[in-house]
């Protein structure tokens, strides 16, 4: 299939090296220029101070200082927010009829056509920010303490939790502190994004979810560190130095590196054996006072490991190598040397030609780790897991020479003047540390970073695709016939009412000798139920079934009905048809007929139907089996709850699965969260259910703001009974135009964001659905084939799936065409979509030009002209 072949292809041209952006510009400190002015009399001292401070300049600036800029003036604290939350219609996140998204990975948006530096890696640099958080916040952020350590002091680590979270996410510390506190109070992401915008500086749901994932990784690291410390303490090997080394670890890879020699069942390291012989003091003496060290005094004939001077020297070398490899400054320096030069080069293992065919492009593939693409990383990993490829990270020899020179002359230079034989021991220790300990660590570190970044981007792509698939505009008010096409076992039919109730089911055999008889049956059914819309699944026999209906429509066979049809994805329909949820919902129906019901409902209300299916089976995204399954499940479940919360549910007809997602899953906070219901009022966890429904319960306004909403209505001269009417909208618009939104918010003692949400909830018409401006299913009456395509032909189509290497588009010829990502450039996209990593997602309508047609392989190459709105 197109998913399984095109994704392996690496880029033909290596992109240029990405230039480092903002971090290098922020390093110089302005305040230090003022200090040399003080000692005016002693001129020789003035030039010394800048010289002494030069090595400190490259270090990262202190965290608390930049936080003073966004600190707002003192204001009365807002009242404590109850935990009950409520979903509704997301207005602020919509721009131009689309779902507003920021980039979900730590890479820049796309640049020009030929170069793709946006996919480059810049290790050990903070990722780009999701939102502009350098300016003053627009709401009332909680005031930060002097440090985030007070928030994460229970972790018992040597680093600041909030500072580390800010460095790894690229988000300002005050925002990270607020997000951490909100998650600690068990708030859900939909609630945070909608009702706490001022606390997160208007970040979108994807950006908040990224911060949540990093926060969970940090907590997991701290928990693992505590477990290791307790284990080593019980074994009696935990020293003060080892405990500090464990607490200094900032990544799981660093923690494994420190803990490796002490793991149960592992061989005792060479350094540990040398320390047991008492050579630790000799190694320290070589560094601190080499002129007093005489290794011959350590020789003990007959003792294993100390019997000769050579054995003593070897033991000292092993201890020094271990000290060098675990030094934080040394690790930082060697990483800075390796970043521009490291090369990933997979090579094939001896396997059968059939197995290696999919990976032939990667057999002699080499690429700088800064330029390798996400889908290439995942493809190489898959080949390695299948035992088809072997992968190696190559580091040039010049890195070794630079590192050894730096160690001997700067970091590990002995105090005093050591003899030549002691300097030889130190040189051997540096080389041994580099070859035996640091190189494997760097290789594992780079592979882990490449894989982690690729997995995050793949999951982010999956999340964006799922959100756009769930938010396709529903087709309401129509009787629909769902068709699950087939040859031998016939086409399964299900006629559904406008409220998705099953009216009739049957099996017809359209592709046999009795086609005319079956056509008469179809006309009878469609006239009987006034059905003028047919939904055909895109599985086996889809093309033939489409041609059958297109022929009947062209002959006006269904007169007086004006019948049209559309093709929809049936991915996951067969799995759902035999699931416990489907059996419980349709107990008396054959599983094949349940598939036809699911296909029809996917067009009537995509969100309500697709939430019943495991997101991994919906047929979107790539490499879903090669990424962390727990991370993928958490992200997909989160976006399902997010969509349900923002859209709302009709509690009179919704399914049990939809109501479960509306409740927010197993989160204690989300259990109180209630989306905007289009039926009756909402259930409150903290108060008794009122006898009469509250009209505000049918809006996106949170219960904590009901009092403000009523005060606002009184201020503009309106009432609750006027909600959604034109006269109330006119009164609200006049008041906002006269006094201004910020002035009104100050009068009502609330924030402008909350007031805007209240205005939206009061002025939206009854039954408002945020999906009404989103893309709808394409209905047609004719058919074209792949043989009709010619190079240069301009067509319109709809994106079926977005991957890490491009987007597949349905242009109505039975095969999806591929727009490679090099053709998806910012100048072809609407302004609100240029910040996303690929910028196209399922359901979007596009205008494309045919670049090439490969009839033999069934492939169509497309160029993006523009996105249609």
């Amino acid at each position: 299939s197109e998913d399984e072949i095109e994704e392996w292809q690496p880029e033909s041209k290596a992109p240029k090296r990405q230039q480092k952006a903002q971090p290098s510009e922020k390093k110089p400190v302005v305040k230090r220029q003022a200090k040399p002015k003080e000692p005016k009399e002693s001129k020789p001292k003035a030039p010394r101070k800048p010289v002494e401070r030069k090595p400190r300049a490259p270090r990262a600036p202190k965290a608390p200082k930049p936080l003073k800029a966004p600190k707002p003036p003192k204001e009365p604290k807002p009242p404590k927010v109850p935990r009950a939350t409520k979903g509704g219609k997301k207005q602020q996140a919509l721009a131009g009829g689309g779902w507003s998204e920021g980039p979900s990975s730590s890479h820049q948006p796309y640049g020009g056509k030929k170069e793709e530096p946006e996919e480059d890696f810049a290790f050990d640099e903070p990722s780009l920010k999701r939102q502009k958080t350098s300016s003053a916040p627009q709401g009332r952020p909680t005031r930060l303490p002097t440090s985030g350590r007070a928030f994460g002091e229970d972790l018992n680590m040597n680093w600041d939790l909030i500072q580390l979270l800010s460095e790894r996410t690229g988000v300002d510390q005050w925002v990270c502190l607020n997000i951490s506190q909100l998650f600690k109070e068990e708030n859900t992401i939909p609630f945070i994004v909608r009702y706490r915008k001022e606390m997160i500086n208007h970040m979108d749901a994807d950006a908040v979810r990224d911060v949540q994932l990093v926060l969970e990784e940090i907590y997991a690291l701290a928990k693992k560190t505590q477990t290791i410390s307790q284990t080593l303490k019980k074994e009696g090997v935990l020293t003060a130095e080892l405990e500090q080394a464990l607490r200094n670890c900032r990544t799981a890879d660093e923690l494994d590196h420190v803990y490796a020699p002490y793991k149960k069942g592992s061989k005792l390291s060479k350094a540990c054996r040398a320390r047991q012989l008492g050579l630790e003091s000799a190694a320290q003496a070589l560094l601190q006072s080499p002129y007093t060290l005489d290794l011959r005094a350590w020789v003990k004939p007959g003792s294993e490991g100390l019997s000769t001077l050579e054995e003593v020297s070897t033991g000292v070398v092993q201890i020094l190598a271990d000290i060098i490899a675990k030094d934080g400054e040394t690790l930082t320096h060697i990483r800075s040397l390796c970043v521009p030069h490291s090369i990933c080069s997979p090579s094939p293992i001896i396997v059968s030609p059939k197995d290696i065919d999919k990976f032939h492009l990667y057999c002699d593939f080499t690429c700088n780790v800064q330029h390798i693409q996400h889908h290439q990383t995942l493809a190489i990993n898959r080949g390695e897991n299948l035992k088809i490829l072997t992968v190696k990270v190559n580091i040039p020899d010049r890195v070794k020479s630079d590192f050894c020179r730096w160690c001997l002359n700067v970091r590990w230079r002995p105090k005093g003047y050591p003899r030549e034989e002691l300097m030889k021991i130190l040189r051997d220790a540096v080389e041994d540390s580099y070859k035996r300990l640091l190189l494997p660590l760097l290789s594992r570190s780079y592979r882990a970073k490449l894989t982690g970044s690729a997995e995050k981007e793949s999951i982010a792509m999956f999340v964006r695709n799922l959100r756009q698939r769930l938010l396709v505009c529903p087709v309401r008010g129509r009787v629909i016939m769902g068709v699950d096409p087939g040859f031998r076992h016939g086409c399964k039919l299900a006629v559904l009412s406008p409220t998705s109730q099953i009216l009739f089911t049957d099996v017809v055999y359209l592709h046999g000798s009795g086609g005319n008889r079956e056509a008469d049956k179809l006309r009878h059914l469609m006239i009987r139920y006034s059905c003028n819309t047919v939904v055909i699944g895109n599985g086996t026999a889809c093309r033939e079934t489409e041609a059958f209906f297109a022929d009947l429509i062209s002959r006006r066979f269904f007169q007086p009905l004006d019948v049209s049809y559309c093709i929809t994805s049936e991915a996951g329909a067969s799995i759902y048809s035999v699931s416990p949820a489907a059996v419980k919902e349709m107990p008396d129906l054959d599983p094949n007929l349940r598939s036809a019901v699911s296909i029809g409902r996917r067009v009537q209300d995509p969100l309500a139907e697709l939430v019943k299916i495991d997101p991994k089976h919906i047929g979107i995204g790539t490499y879903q089996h090669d990424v962390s399954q727990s991370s993928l499940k958490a992200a997909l479940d989160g976006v399902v709850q997010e969509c349900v919360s923002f859209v709302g549910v009709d509690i009179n007809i919704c399914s049990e699965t939809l109501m479960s997602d509306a409740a927010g899953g197993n989160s204690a906070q989300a259990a109180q969260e209630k989306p905007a219901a289009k039926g009756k009022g909402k259930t409150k966890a903290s108060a008794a259910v009122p006898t009469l429904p509250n009209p505000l319960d049918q809006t996106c306004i949170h219960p904590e703001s009901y009092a403000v909403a009523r005060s606002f209505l009184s201020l503009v001269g309106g009432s609750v009974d006027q909600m959604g009417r034109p006269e109330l909208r006119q009164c609200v618009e006049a008041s906002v135009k006269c006094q201004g939104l910020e002035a009104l918010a100050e009068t009502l003692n609330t924030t402008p964001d909350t007031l805007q949400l209240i205005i939206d909830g009061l002025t939206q018409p009854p039954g408002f659905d945020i999906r009404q401006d989103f893309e709808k299913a394409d209905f047609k009456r004719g058919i074209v084939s792949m043989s009709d395509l010619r190079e240069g032909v301009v067509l319109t189509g709809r994106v079926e799936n977005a991957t890490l290497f491009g987007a597949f588009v349905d242009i109505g010829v039975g095969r999806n065409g591929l727009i490679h990502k090099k053709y998806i450039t910012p100048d072809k996209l609407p302004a609100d979509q240029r910040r996303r990593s690929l910028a196209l997602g399922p359901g979007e309508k596009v205008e494309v030009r045919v670049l090439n047609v490969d009839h033999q392989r069934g492939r169509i190459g497309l160029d993006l002209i523009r996105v249609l709105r």
Side-chain angles (χ1 to χ4, degrees), residues 782-795:
I783 185 173
V784 294
S785 64
M786 191 171 173
S787 59
D788 299 328
L789 295 180
R790 297 291 183 273
E791 293 184 10
V793 174
V794 176
L795 302 168

Side-chain angles (χ1 to χ4, degrees), residues 67 70 129 133-135 166 170-177 201:
L67 300 179
K129 299 177 182 178
T133 57
S134 57
S135 58
S166 177
V171 179
D172 283 351
Q173 290 194 25
W174 69 270
V175 181
C176 290
L177 179 60
N201 209 19

Side-chain angles (χ1 to χ4, degrees), residues 393-449:
V393 177
N394 297 320
I395 298 176
D397 292 337
R398 60 178 174 270
V399 174
K400 176 184 176 181
S401 60
D402 293 344
F403 172 74
C404 293
R405 189 183 307 114
W406 177 82
C407 287
L408 295 173
N409 297 330
V410 182
R411 182 70 181 94
W412 301 103
R413 182 177 182 178
K415 295 180 181 179
Y417 298 94
R419 298 185 301 277
E420 178 59 28
E421 60 268 19
L422 297 182
M423 281 302 299
K424 182 180 183 305
I425 291 176
L426 184 58
R427 281 194 294 268
D428 292 343
V430 172
E431 292 184 3
D432 182 56
S433 178
Y434 177 83
K435 181 179 180 180
R436 182 170 56 89
L437 301 175
L438 291 176
L439 275 186
L441 171 67
L442 291 172
S443 179
R444 292 193 304 269
S445 176
Y446 282 134
R447 291 293 306 278
K449 285 182 178 180

Side-chain angles (χ1 to χ4, degrees), residues 152-446:
E153 59 184 4
D154 56 326
L155 299 181
N156 199 21
M157 301 295 286
N158 289 345
W159 33 257
D160 189 315
L161 169 64
I162 302 302
Q163 182 180 356
L164 180 61
L165 181 62
S166 177
E167 291 174 358
R168 292 180 60 177
T169 59
V171 179
D172 283 351
Q173 290 194 25
W174 69 270
V175 181
C176 290
L177 179 60
N178 289 344
I179 293 176
S180 302
Q181 186 63 42
L182 289 168
F183 281 131
K184 189 175 182 180
E185 296 172 356
E186 299 182 354
N187 293 288
T188 60
I189 290 179
F191 172 82
I192 294 172
V193 171
R194 172 174 289 175
Y195 300 112
R196 296 295 181 265
K197 292 180 181 179
E198 66 280 358
M199 295 184 69
I200 61 173
N201 209 19
H202 299 255
M203 293 171 66
D204 59 23
D206 288 336
V208 176
R209 188 174 291 108
D210 289 344
V211 176
Q212 183 188 32
L213 292 176
V214 176
L215 184 63
E216 291 174 352
E217 290 176 3
I218 294 175
Y219 274 115
L221 173 66
K223 185 177 180 180
K224 185 177 180 181
T225 303
Q226 293 177 0
T227 303
I228 291 175
S229 299
Q230 293 173 1
T231 302
L232 296 178
K233 189 175 182 180
K234 291 179 181 178
E235 295 174 358
V237 296
L238 183 64
T239 62
E241 293 79 9
L242 179 57
E243 186 175 10
Q244 291 303 314
L246 291 171
R247 292 183 180 180
N248 287 333
C249 295
R250 289 171 165 251
T251 65
D253 196 52
E254 291 181 8
L255 183 62
D256 292 338
H257 179 63
V258 175
Y259 178 53
Y262 306 95
K263 284 184 178 179
K264 223 171 189 180
S266 62
K267 294 182 180 179
L268 202 62
S269 69
K270 295 179 178 180
C272 290
R273 289 195 295 268
R275 285 187 173 97
Q276 289 179 355
L277 295 174
L279 295 176
E280 175 82 25
S281 56
Q284 293 293 340
L286 191 151
L287 297 174
Q288 301 298 327
S289 54
Y291 48 86
T292 64
L293 178 62
D294 184 7
L295 291 180
R296 288 173 295 183
W298 298 85
V299 177
K300 296 180 181 179
S303 298
E304 185 179 357
L306 299 174
S307 57
T308 63
L309 181 61
E310 184 180 356
E311 289 183 353
V312 172
S313 300
T314 302
V316 174
V317 167
Q318 292 165 352
I319 293 176
L320 290 175
D322 183 70
I323 294 174
I324 293 171
K326 292 180 179 177
D327 178 64
E329 189 174 342
T330 302
L331 289 172
T332 302
H333 182 75
I334 194 172
R335 285 193 179 108
S336 66
L337 293 175
C338 291
V339 166
H341 308 296
S342 303
I343 303 294
C344 178
S345 58
S347 58
I349 306 175
I350 304 301
V351 293
S352 65
K354 180 180 179 182
D355 292 334
I356 204 173
D357 183 56
K358 290 184 178 180
F359 299 93
H360 72 278
L361 294 174
Y362 292 96
C363 291
D364 298 317
F365 175 76
T366 60
C367 184
N368 191 294
V369 294
Q370 289 183 294
H371 300 151
I372 192 168
Q373 306 295 308
H374 295 305
H375 66 275
Q376 293 171 345
T377 299
L378 295 174
I380 291 170
N381 289 350
R382 179 184 289 180
E384 186 180 33
N385 293 334
L386 295 175
K387 309 298 182 184
I388 295 176
L389 299 175
T390 57
V391 187
K392 183 180 180 182
V393 177
N394 297 320
I395 298 176
D397 292 337
R398 60 178 174 270
V399 174
K400 176 184 176 181
S401 60
D402 293 344
F403 172 74
C404 293
R405 189 183 307 114
W406 177 82
C407 287
L408 295 173
N409 297 330
V410 182
R411 182 70 181 94
W412 301 103
R413 182 177 182 178
K415 295 180 181 179
Y417 298 94
R419 298 185 301 277
E420 178 59 28
E421 60 268 19
L422 297 182
M423 281 302 299
K424 182 180 183 305
I425 291 176
L426 184 58
R427 281 194 294 268
D428 292 343
V430 172
E431 292 184 3
D432 182 56
S433 178
Y434 177 83
K435 181 179 180 180
R436 182 170 56 89
L437 301 175
L438 291 176
L439 275 186
L441 171 67
L442 291 172
S443 179
R444 292 193 304 269
S445 176
Y446 282 134

Side-chain angles (χ1 to χ4, degrees), residues 730-794:
Q730 294 174 2
C731 293
V732 170
E733 291 176 353
S735 298
V736 173
K737 185 177 181 180
C738 178
Q739 302 183 43
L741 186 67
E742 293 185 359
L744 286 172
E746 187 175 354
T747 302
L748 297 170
N749 193 26
T750 187
T751 63
D753 294 319
T754 302
L755 182 58
Q756 183 62 56
L757 195 65
I758 291 173
I759 292 174
D760 293 338
L762 295 175
T763 56
Q764 287 167 352
F768 176 81
D769 192 331
I770 66 169
R771 298 172 293 173
Q772 65 186 17
D773 295 326
F774 286 9
E775 299 295 341
K776 299 181 179 179
D778 285 327
F779 293 94
K780 51 187 179 179
R781 295 174 176 81
I783 185 173
V784 294
S785 64
M786 191 171 173
S787 59
D788 299 328
L789 295 180
R790 297 291 183 273
E791 293 184 10
V793 174
V794 176

